[in-house]
Amino acid sequence: MPRPREFDCEKALEAAMYVFWEKGYEGTSYSDLSAATGVARPGLYAAFGDKHALFLKVLDHYAKQETGFWQAALDESTAAAVVTAALRHSANANLQASKPRGCLGLNGALACSDDAKAVQQRLNQMRERAVETLRDRFQQAQKAGDMPADTNADTVARLSVTFMQGIAVQAKAGTDKAEIDRMITMMIAALNPLVQA
């Protein structure tokens, strides 16, 4: 009979998430993961598979735990409120004092070798889904008469997500919260004519 696992998989997954979040996919080694989780490489392989498989599990864990603000923003009653909530909550998520700065997905995909193209592709697909979800929400707002019909919903969604990605990069680079808040205020003011009926 196989020996029972002697570690908590959820705790190991959480620890691995923080390593990937801080160092990115390619910057993270199995030695880093073993040190953070307290689990030797064979145990990690047995529980999660190779580094790629572990990273995909970490992404799912991160999405469940760290991106609840996204649905909350989409549930706002007006398109303008959606934009404001998405930008403000995204910034807060990227600036948590007790967690690595920036976005795990963005940190993981900025620099990838040919060996990690599958990871980069998965992260790009996730970002594209975010654009599509926001575009769909804007199109609903247009049908409800809450957003100008002549606004290009796809372009505003892409602009919003691009700005959120830029905030994640700024957060990772150490830009302080006050400066990020000022940038968000200016971006909201620029977007408001496009999203307010």
Side-chain angles (χ1 to χ4, degrees):
M1 288 179 62
R3 289 180 61 190
R5 232 174 248 136
E6 297 177 355
F7 63 90
D8 184 318
C9 282
E10 280 299 307
K11 288 182 179 176
L13 197 61
E14 180 88 355
M17 178 183 76
Y18 283 108
V19 178
F20 282 123
W21 195 346
E22 182 67 41
K23 297 190 170 191
Y25 176 74
E26 292 214 304
T28 297
S29 68
Y30 249 101
S31 296
D32 296 327
L33 294 166
S34 292
T37 61
V39 181
R41 186 171 181 157
L44 287 175
Y45 265 115
F48 302 110
D50 62 11
K51 188 172 104 168
H52 177 254
L54 173 56
F55 184 71
L56 296 183
K57 288 180 174 70
V58 161
L59 275 182
D60 291 338
H61 182 74
Y62 176 84
K64 288 175 190 171
Q65 181 171 296
E66 301 293 334
T67 62
F69 72 86
W70 185 241
Q71 188 58 53
L74 294 170
D75 289 341
E76 291 286 345
S77 59
T78 67
V82 168
V83 167
T84 298
L87 298 186
R88 296 275 182 213
H89 295 327
S90 174
N92 290 338
N94 285 298
L95 291 165
Q96 298 176 80
S98 61
K99 297 179 180 179
R101 281 179 155 238
C103 165
L104 183 146
L106 201 60
N107 292 352
L110 283 177
C112 285
S113 69
D114 290 343
D115 292 338
K117 287 299 181 188
V119 167
Q120 191 174 49
Q121 184 177 25
R122 168 75 180 272
L123 294 169
N124 289 339
Q125 288 169 349
M126 289 174 67
R127 280 190 295 282
E128 187 61 25
R129 279 199 301 273
V131 170
E132 291 168 359
T133 303
L134 191 55
R135 179 200 63 212
D136 292 348
R137 176 64 182 86
F138 288 154
Q139 288 174 339
Q140 289 173 9
Q142 287 175 315
K143 287 176 184 174
D146 175 57
M147 181 171 166
D150 60 351
T151 293
N152 187 313
D154 185 73
T155 301
V156 175
R158 288 184 187 283
L159 180 60
S160 301
V161 171
T162 298
F163 185 78
M164 285 187 276
Q165 292 171 352
I167 291 299
V169 172
Q170 291 288 323
K172 180 71 173 174
T175 304
D176 66 59
K177 186 177 187 307
E179 181 60 30
I180 287 175
D181 284 342
R182 285 191 289 272
M183 288 189 282
I184 290 172
T185 297
M186 291 182 72
M187 186 62 172
I188 290 169
L191 287 173
N192 270 341
L194 299 173
V195 297
Q196 286 183 330

